[in-house]
Amino acid sequence: MFLVTGATGNVGAEVVSALAGAGAPVRALVRRPDAELPQGAEAAVGDLNDHGTLDDALKGVEGVFLLPGYEDMPGMLARARDAGVRRIVLLSGGSAALENLDNAVSRYMTLAERAVRESGLDWTFLRPRAFMSNALRWLPQLREGDTVRVQFPTVAAACVDPADIAAVAALALAGGHEGRIHELTGPVAMRPAEQVAVLASVLGRDLRAAELSNDETRAELEASMPREYVDAFWNFYVEGTLDEATVYPAVPEVTGRPARTFAEWAEAHAGAFR
């Protein structure tokens, strides 16, 4: 049995689908018992921040797909180990390699990896770069018109399809990837305006990217998230501490097929934009 945390999120939902589609026994950790899940997946209600709610979810579990950033991860991992879990596949990120504890994002990625390394469990770390599904943040703008305000317009990222992350995660949960760090990217680095152009083609709309200045970007970010996370992204993308443009071969090497393009992701999710 495999337990998937964050099972209704962009990546977790894809991991549940990948495992269920392969006929693997999969249990989805959810907050509500009526959460919609793929056929073949079972639900377990629990909260990673409340370890007492996890006992039923962990019964009979061999491997856990784990999200980072929860409170007392060492305690949660100890509970998993005591329940018989053998393997953790951790969704981390490229900023974990920076080990910058002064950066809010790098800090929780770094501390999560440290906790898993020290847990005594077998582990695999997945370090995806930006998700293709981040383009869904433009939905409110696209409902109102054809202009998309893009932040950090000069920063190129080799965005990865969450389904590709899930495909690697499912294989890692089955074993054979212990002690490995997979850097996960799409096949090409793109700037935000290039993504908007792809969406325009897929949707058959005359979309235009309005590139924001640093001041405009910061104002938008500060209106939507805590200051420490604004500073973290500023450190990554304005000060240039995080490289998301380098393309890595892990997706095709692990899955045996090419990493999906942004156009393929957009085609698959076009209904969300219409």
Side-chain angles (χ1 to χ4, degrees):
M1 176 66 73
F2 300 117
L3 177 67
V4 178
T5 69
T8 58
N10 286 329
V11 178
E14 295 282 7
V15 177
V16 174
S17 293
L19 290 168
V26 55
R27 183 178 295 149
L29 187 68
V30 294
R31 302 274 183 135
R32 304 187 330 272
D34 61 345
E36 187 173 341
L37 298 171
Q39 186 174 1
E42 66 177 67
V45 177
D47 183 347
L48 287 175
N49 284 325
D50 183 356
H51 301 168
T53 68
L54 300 178
D55 289 344
D56 287 341
L58 290 168
K59 286 180 181 176
V61 168
E62 170 188 351
V64 177
F65 175 76
L66 183 62
L67 301 188
Y70 285 85
E71 298 171 10
D72 189 20
M73 290 196 72
M76 189 279 295
L77 290 162
R79 200 174 194 105
R81 185 183 62 244
D82 292 344
V85 172
R86 295 164 41 204
R87 182 178 304 117
I88 299 292
V89 175
L90 177 70
L91 181 66
S92 184
S95 68
L98 303 176
E99 296 189 329
N100 181 0
L101 300 187
D102 293 324
N103 178 296
V105 176
S106 179
R107 179 172 65 244
Y108 79 75
M109 298 288 188
T110 299
L111 295 179
E113 287 194 2
R114 288 181 183 176
V116 173
R117 286 182 191 272
E118 295 167 4
S119 68
L121 296 164
D122 289 336
W123 56 263
T124 306
F125 296 156
L126 308 184
R127 290 181 179 172
R129 299 313 191 256
F131 299 167
M132 290 179 181
S133 56
N134 289 348
L136 294 170
R137 70 186 182 277
W138 296 329
L139 279 174
Q141 298 183 67
L142 291 172
R143 292 189 186 107
E144 295 186 3
D146 291 333
T147 299
V148 181
R149 294 164 58 86
V150 298
Q151 301 168 350
F152 305 115
T154 64
V155 177
C159 296
V160 60
D161 188 334
D164 281 345
I165 302 172
V168 174
L171 292 167
L173 282 166
H177 295 257
E178 291 80 1
R180 296 181 64 182
I181 299 173
H182 292 309
E183 312 279 355
L184 305 179
T185 69
V188 64
M190 301 175 70
R191 294 187 300 276
E194 294 172 310
Q195 290 185 317
V196 172
V198 170
L199 283 176
S201 177
V202 169
L203 300 176
R205 292 176 60 177
D206 185 18
L207 302 181
R208 183 181 73 87
E211 299 186 344
L212 302 185
S213 68
N214 282 346
D215 288 343
E216 290 170 323
T217 293
R218 189 166 189 102
E220 283 197 358
L221 291 175
E222 289 182 346
S224 63
M225 66 180 67
R227 178 67 176 270
E228 65 174 345
Y229 288 99
V230 177
D231 290 342
F233 291 120
W234 206 258
N235 176 246
F236 292 156
Y237 301 133
V238 176
E239 297 170 10
T241 62
L242 180 63
D243 171 23
E244 293 200 314
T246 297
V247 173
Y248 290 91
V251 169
E253 286 179 351
V254 174
T255 66
R257 58 163 176 77
R260 293 187 176 96
T261 66
F262 184 73
E264 289 172 320
W265 176 88
E267 289 280 2
H269 296 84
F273 291 93
R274 293 193 169 109

